[in-house]
């Protein structure tokens, strides 16, 4: 049985912003990282880039640039397969990786991590609302599901969860304090319309609710001046702390 994680470290203000590299290829991702420069220190690479050539080279390149890397592939497979995948990512220096909230999978992932790699459990995707959960057969509300998975993830030895900002405040009240909370679905006030993210929150609201890290994609990626938007978000995060 994996040991319980240590008390969470307080991230720097700069590290709290995780820029999602939701781009079609590694060259485009490198271009955005270069354009952002020191305006971002933490990046998320996920399924789209994993299916493109150069995924691991991009991961290695980000680490060479002294960036932190969140590999968001939401592993859900035979526990031994997940354990080997997590081990391989840890060997490449991934800072965060994600698994789905099945107990055996979480335990396997937590037992396989090495170095500074942290395993995060997915609670409920921000693209799902209560109607979607009802369709999937979950007989509870989203907040109860998120809290239950958060508690079980720590018992399994994971370091934290990925959770909508709408549930973070309750997590902070009821889940153990060592829980890391990474919050996607972050949208500035002027950029709230989004077809596939149903549970979103502004950066200030998410930080005040207790989120440790904010994942931001389109508002930065699609901006005319991505660096300016990233710097503005960094300032907003700092002001909210």
């Amino acid at each position: 049985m994996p040991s319980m994680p240590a008390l969470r470290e307080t991230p720097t203000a700069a590290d709290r912003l995780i820029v999602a590299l939701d781009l079609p290829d590694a060259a485009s991702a490198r271009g955005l990282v270069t354009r952002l420069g020191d305006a971002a220190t933490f990046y998320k690479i996920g399924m789209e880039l994993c299916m493109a050539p150069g995924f691991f080279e991009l991961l290695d390149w980000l680490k060479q640039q002294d960036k932190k890397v969140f590999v968001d592939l939401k592993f859900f497979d035979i526990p031994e397969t997940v354990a080997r995948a997590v081990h391989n990512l840890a060997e490449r220096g991934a800072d965060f990786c994600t698994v789905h909230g099945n107990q055996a999978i979480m335990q396997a992932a937590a037992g396989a991590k090495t170095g500074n790699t942290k395993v995060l459990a997915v609670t409920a995707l921000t693209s799902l609302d209560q109607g979607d959960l009802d369709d999937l057969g979950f007989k509870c509300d989203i907040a109860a599901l998120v809290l239950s998975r958060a508690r079980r993830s720590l018992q399994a030895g994971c370091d934290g969860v990925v959770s909508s900002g709408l549930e973070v405040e309750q997590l902070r009240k009821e889940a153990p304090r060592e829980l890391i909370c990474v919050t996607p679905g972050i949208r500035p006030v002027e950029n709230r319309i989004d077809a596939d993210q149903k549970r979103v929150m502004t950066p200030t609201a998410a930080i005040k609710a207790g989120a440790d890290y904010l994942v931001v994609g389109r508002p930065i990626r699609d901006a005319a001046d991505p660096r300016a938007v990233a710097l503005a978000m960094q300032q907003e995060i700092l002001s909210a702390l």
Side-chain angles (χ1 to χ4, degrees):
M1 178 73 177
S3 60
M4 289 288 286
L7 290 176
R8 64 191 175 103
E9 299 176 358
T10 301
T12 67
D15 282 351
R16 287 177 183 269
L17 174 65
I18 301 178
V19 176
L21 295 175
D22 296 329
L23 292 156
D25 53 64
S28 299
R30 290 189 190 213
L32 179 58
V33 172
T34 300
R35 191 173 181 187
L36 290 173
D38 60 2
T41 60
F42 212 148
Y43 288 92
K44 181 177 83 73
I45 52 180
M47 192 174 297
E48 182 178 8
L49 277 174
C50 181
M51 295 297 107
F55 174 82
F56 288 111
E57 289 82 357
L58 174 63
L59 194 166
D60 294 342
W61 178 79
L62 286 168
K63 297 303 296 184
Q64 290 164 8
Q65 307 305 307
D66 293 323
K67 305 299 185 182
K68 293 187 175 181
V69 182
F70 171 16
V71 178
D72 185 24
L73 296 178
K74 304 178 180 70
F75 294 133
F76 189 86
D77 209 314
I78 297 167
E80 179 63 21
T81 299
V82 170
R84 291 178 184 275
V86 169
H87 176 78
N88 286 344
L89 283 177
E91 289 292 297
R92 297 195 90 103
D95 295 275
F96 290 171
C97 66
T98 47
V99 301
H100 273 287
N102 171 272
Q103 197 72 14
I105 289 173
M106 292 190 296
Q107 290 177 3
K113 65 181 181 176
T114 60
N116 295 320
T117 300
K118 293 178 171 53
V119 175
L120 308 175
V122 176
T123 55
L125 298 175
T126 51
S127 60
L128 303 179
D129 60 16
Q130 189 62 50
D132 295 314
L133 289 190
D134 292 342
D135 288 342
L136 290 169
F138 288 96
K139 303 302 181 184
C140 62
D141 63 28
I142 290 178
L145 175 65
V146 169
L147 184 58
S148 172
R149 286 188 167 178
R151 287 171 171 160
R152 291 192 301 106
S153 72
L154 285 174
Q155 291 169 0
C158 293
D159 300 281
V161 296
V162 180
S163 170
S164 160
L166 301 178
E167 286 81 50
V168 167
E169 187 171 6
Q170 184 175 354
L171 286 177
R172 283 287 172 240
K173 289 178 179 177
E174 301 187 37
R177 290 301 303 172
E178 63 265 28
L179 181 83
I180 294 171
C181 287
V182 176
T183 298
I186 298 299
R187 297 289 181 268
V189 172
E190 69 275 12
N191 193 348
R192 295 298 299 275
I193 299 174
D194 200 333
D196 63 359
Q197 295 281 12
K198 298 178 180 178
R199 290 160 39 246
V200 300
M201 185 172 275
T202 65
T204 295
I207 290 292
K208 288 186 177 298
D212 293 305
Y213 300 88
L214 309 182
V215 180
V216 182
R218 270 163 281 194
I220 292 175
R221 181 197 69 194
D222 295 344
D225 188 344
R227 178 177 169 82
V229 174
L231 288 172
M233 285 196 171
Q234 294 280 18
Q235 185 57 51
E236 184 175 349
I237 289 170
L238 188 60
S239 298
L241 292 172

